[in-house]
Amino acid sequence: MIKIEDLHKSYHMGNNSLHVLKGINFHVKEGELVSIMGSSGSGKSTLLNILGMLDEADEGSYILDGVPIKNLNEKVAAKYRNEFLGFIFQSFNLINYKTAVDNVALPMFYSGMARKERVEKAHHYLEKVGLADWSHHLPSEMSGGQKQRVAIARALASEPKVLLADEPTGALDTRTSYEVMDLIQGINDEGKTILIVTHEDDIAHMTKRIVNLKDGVIIDDSPVEQVRAQQYV
Ligand code: ADP
Ligand code: MG
């Protein structure tokens, strides 16, 4: 599903440059649930943003579901991004003046889906994340955990091949984090490929494989015995 070979990325600021990713090699198969760990500043978000086609590497190759991701024009990149990828962020990134159902339906509006279909789909995915009764509420009326569930429903609604989550539990208390991980594990059980950036060890152990980044290289990449979040919620 994802093949990354010898990936490099630097940031340039005036005369200074910062070499953030220094030769990353990393393959992910369909159906995997992988965490990317590393201390703050180790390049986790940079890597996830490249995987999410929100940024481009300087060197190396990236193949997503058989498609080489390189030098795509913005229109083609946007098409692949919509087709292949769903995003979940630490800060939820919901639109505050839109209800849950409208937040979930909005990306489908941009991809040209008819209103009836996108509203039906939005309700379906809100039900899937346990928020059927909250569809007409605004984000300001919801808890952090509920907001992240709306964001997960929004990511799922486009039926992406891969879900990318950058510290999805970073703004949540422990119990709520485990509830969100329980949901993510259930989505992975159904076969969805999911990558999660986290710096929390307990969250990483709820995935099936931990990739450790340090100083721009992968220092460890190992399968783990998955801890089920269900037992804590
Ligand atoms: P992490 O997500 O692991 O905390 P990041 O990938 O966000 O790390 O950042 C890695 C390094 O790159 C950090 O030193 C950060 O300050 C720097 N960095 C990230 N984004 C930019 C940018 N757009 N311009 C310049 N430096 C950046
Ligand atoms: Mg980060």
Side-chain angles (χ1 to χ4, degrees):
M1 183 64 75
I2 288 173
K3 281 192 180 148
I4 280 209
E5 308 277 0
D6 202 27
L7 201 83
H8 287 260
K9 175 76 181 178
S10 299
Y11 292 112
H12 303 279
M13 296 145 284
N15 287 326
N16 296 317
S17 77
L18 184 65
H19 197 177
V20 178
L21 301 178
K22 304 174 182 168
I24 303 284
N25 294 286
F26 169 63
H27 292 193
V28 178
K29 293 198 201 70
E30 186 165 7
E32 283 202 75
L33 175 55
V34 183
S35 50
I36 299 170
M37 289 200 81
S39 53
S40 180
S42 59
K44 304 182 297 296
S45 294
T46 300
L47 177 58
L48 204 75
N49 289 345
I50 293 170
L51 290 169
M53 301 172 62
L54 300 169
D55 198 358
E56 250 197 312
D58 303 323
E59 271 176 56
S61 74
Y62 172 24
I63 298 177
L64 173 59
D65 201 33
V67 179
I69 304 300
K70 192 157 188 125
N71 302 325
L72 303 175
N73 71 46
E74 189 42 45
K75 210 172 159 186
V76 175
K79 177 178 172 302
Y80 286 146
R81 210 182 290 127
N82 286 339
E83 229 172 82
F84 287 136
L85 303 162
F87 294 92
I88 303 164
F89 301 95
Q90 173 172 355
S91 51
F92 324 125
N93 292 11
L94 300 177
I95 296 173
N96 288 323
Y97 59 85
K98 286 190 181 289
T99 61
V101 67
D102 286 344
N103 265 285
V104 176
L106 189 64
M108 295 182 272
F109 167 79
Y110 289 116
S111 62
M113 193 183 286
R115 180 174 167 79
K116 185 163 180 279
E117 191 183 352
R118 58 179 197 263
V119 170
E120 273 172 16
K121 264 209 168 135
H123 280 292
H124 170 77
Y125 283 99
L126 281 172
E127 192 177 326
K128 199 172 163 66
V129 301
L131 290 178
D133 296 338
W134 288 81
S135 55
H136 296 293
H137 286 260
L138 292 169
S140 59
E141 298 165 329
M142 297 187 188
S143 67
Q146 287 174 320
K147 283 189 258 199
Q148 194 58 297
R149 284 168 187 276
V150 175
I152 292 170
R154 178 182 57 188
L156 288 174
S158 61
E159 290 161 4
K161 303 218 171 192
V162 180
L163 276 186
L164 300 174
D166 196 347
E167 312 242 11
T169 62
L172 305 174
D173 62 63
T174 304
R175 191 194 156 87
T176 309
S177 294
Y178 293 165
E179 286 169 3
V180 165
M181 285 309 295
D182 182 41
L183 177 61
I184 287 175
Q185 288 179 333
I187 295 163
N188 173 252
D189 291 342
E190 292 173 5
K192 189 76 77 192
T193 311
I194 307 178
L195 271 72
I196 300 178
V197 162
T198 182
H199 57 253
E200 294 161 298
D201 214 47
D202 52 345
I203 299 299
H205 280 88
M206 291 176 174
T207 68
K208 295 172 175 167
R209 170 179 165 196
I210 303 181
V211 173
N212 240 301
L213 267 185
K214 191 174 180 190
D215 299 330
V217 295
I218 293 176
I219 54 164
D220 189 49
D221 182 348
S222 311
V224 287
E225 185 69 39
Q226 186 183 38
V227 175
R228 297 300 300 201
Q230 173 79 65
Q231 64 194 308
Y232 301 112
V233 302

